[in-house]
Amino acid sequence: MQLESLKMFCDVVETGSFSRAAQLNHVTQSAVSQQIRALENRYEQKLLSRSARQVTPTPAGERLFRGCKEILARFAEVEQEIREQATEVQGATTVSTIYSVGLHELNAVQKQLLKTHPKVNMRLNYRRNDQVYDDVILGAAEIGIVAYPQPRAGVDILPFRDDKLAVVCAPNHPFATKAKVSVTALSGVPFIAFDREAPTRKALDRLFREKNIDINPVMEMDNVETIKRAVEMGLGVAILPLATAHAEIKAGTLVAKPFAEGPVSRPIGLLIRKGKYLDRASAAVLEAFKQAALIPHDD
């Protein structure tokens, strides 16, 4: 018994016609009849009821039809998988990320992807934290990137890496001459803060409360780029992921100082919709993230 015979049988059941099944399989009606007769001989019972108007399956034929459809569908999947393995991975994958995971942070991922899968395109959407979760859950993005990831229904969280945080100020600010800055030194200093709903802001507020520090937020913003511009203008200092300020530090428009109390960092996580099948392009992007996480920061 061959798959072609099973397909012809299914086509007869679905179309209710030997002639139509013959057309679909590019054979003669006699050839279809011979295949059906061979199946009936194999199982020693009638599989089809023939009438003047239509062909319908018998109870045994109905059971064989359901089983054959499963077999044919699975075989088609296997064939597709084999064909994909024989071709180069290509396609586009949408990644939704919070603003404060900047292009510098994702540069290592992009380099890894170009090296391993040059025909895979990673499209970035910069979004607010809650919007990243929504994008992944609703299927608008295959992968999400958030800070301080929190469990949420319908989402799997994969650890990515920790972002080192630093006190960032303008070159003419008094902090610029210090080797390190204590968290307590921020008390009363004009401070450029993240938006109150941002997870990084919430984490920093907890830190300030633990240290009994009174922070003076003169501006609150949801975009790390605008925070950096405000700090460059001398409107205040900020606590930012060090990776997001590398370009400005190199250009001399910003100065970053570590905390005197020791390193402070924030966890970055990857979001994948629970139970979602990732196509080969998305799987390649996810693997690039995993490999990039193994590359040390150039802090």
Side-chain angles (χ1 to χ4, degrees):
M1 182 171 56
Q2 298 179 339
L3 287 174
E4 288 79 4
S5 298
L6 300 182
K7 182 180 182 305
M8 287 185 195
F9 172 74
C10 290
D11 288 341
V12 172
V13 173
E14 290 178 328
T15 63
S17 167
F18 277 78
S19 60
R20 181 62 182 141
Q23 292 174 350
L24 290 174
N25 291 274
H26 308 289
V27 296
T28 64
Q29 185 172 331
S30 174
V32 174
S33 297
Q34 290 176 15
Q35 295 291 347
I36 300 302
R37 196 158 44 247
L39 287 173
E40 290 179 330
N41 290 337
R42 178 185 179 90
Y43 296 112
E44 299 181 344
Q45 56 187 305
K46 287 287 185 181
L47 299 175
L48 298 173
S49 294
R50 300 160 177 83
S51 68
R53 291 186 176 182
Q54 193 175 25
V55 178
T56 57
T58 63
E62 181 63 36
R63 179 66 190 91
L64 180 62
F65 171 73
R66 292 198 303 270
C68 287
K69 290 296 289 183
E70 293 175 4
I71 292 170
L72 292 171
R74 180 57 188 141
F75 181 72
E77 291 176 1
V78 171
E79 279 195 315
Q80 181 62 27
E81 291 171 3
I82 293 173
R83 289 193 186 100
E84 286 183 347
Q85 290 174 0
T87 60
E88 187 175 6
V89 181
Q90 55 186 313
T93 295
T94 300
V95 177
S96 283
T97 176
I98 54 174
Y99 294 104
S100 57
V101 177
L103 289 175
H104 180 279
E105 181 77 8
L106 297 175
N107 189 43
V109 178
Q110 191 65 65
K111 286 183 177 179
Q112 180 68 26
L113 192 60
L114 284 172
K115 182 171 67 174
T116 56
H117 300 94
K119 292 188 178 180
V120 173
N121 179 25
M122 183 173 69
R123 298 173 178 167
L124 294 178
N125 285 339
Y126 282 92
R127 309 276 275 164
R128 293 173 66 92
N129 190 75
D130 283 344
Q131 291 174 325
V132 174
Y133 282 91
D134 290 342
D135 282 352
V136 172
I137 292 171
L138 297 175
E142 284 73 38
I143 300 171
I145 311 174
V146 295
Y148 301 98
Q150 297 296 317
R152 191 171 297 192
V155 171
D156 287 325
I157 299 172
L158 305 176
F160 178 43
R161 70 190 326 168
D162 288 338
D163 261 349
K164 185 182 290 183
L165 301 178
V167 178
V168 177
C169 63
N172 59 355
H173 193 278
F175 285 172
T177 60
K178 298 180 178 292
K180 298 180 179 180
V181 175
S182 172
V183 176
T184 57
L186 297 172
S187 182
V189 174
F191 191 74
I192 313 297
F194 281 103
D195 182 86
R196 291 177 184 270
E197 295 304 311
T200 301
R201 168 69 181 274
K202 293 179 179 179
L204 290 175
D205 283 348
R206 286 194 296 270
L207 174 64
F208 297 146
R209 286 195 298 269
E210 291 170 1
K211 301 288 185 180
N212 294 316
I213 299 171
D214 184 21
I215 290 297
N216 177 27
V218 295
M219 301 179 76
E220 296 178 340
M221 303 175 179
D222 64 0
N223 189 318
V224 70
E225 295 301 318
T226 54
I227 292 177
K228 289 189 292 184
R229 300 296 83 79
V231 174
E232 285 176 331
M233 294 169 63
L235 301 179
V237 303
I239 295 177
L240 296 176
L242 189 55
T244 65
H246 273 301
E248 290 81 6
I249 294 169
K250 185 176 181 180
T253 61
L254 288 178
V255 176
K257 297 297 177 180
F259 291 96
E261 292 82 358
V264 177
S265 61
R266 65 172 189 172
I268 301 296
L270 305 178
L271 307 180
I272 305 292
R273 191 171 71 185
K274 192 176 293 292
K276 179 179 176 62
Y277 167 77
L278 292 180
D279 59 27
R280 296 180 72 206
S282 299
V285 172
L286 183 60
E287 182 60 28
F289 271 101
K290 293 178 181 179
Q291 293 301 317
L294 303 176
I295 302 173
H297 278 279
D298 53 348
D299 296 337

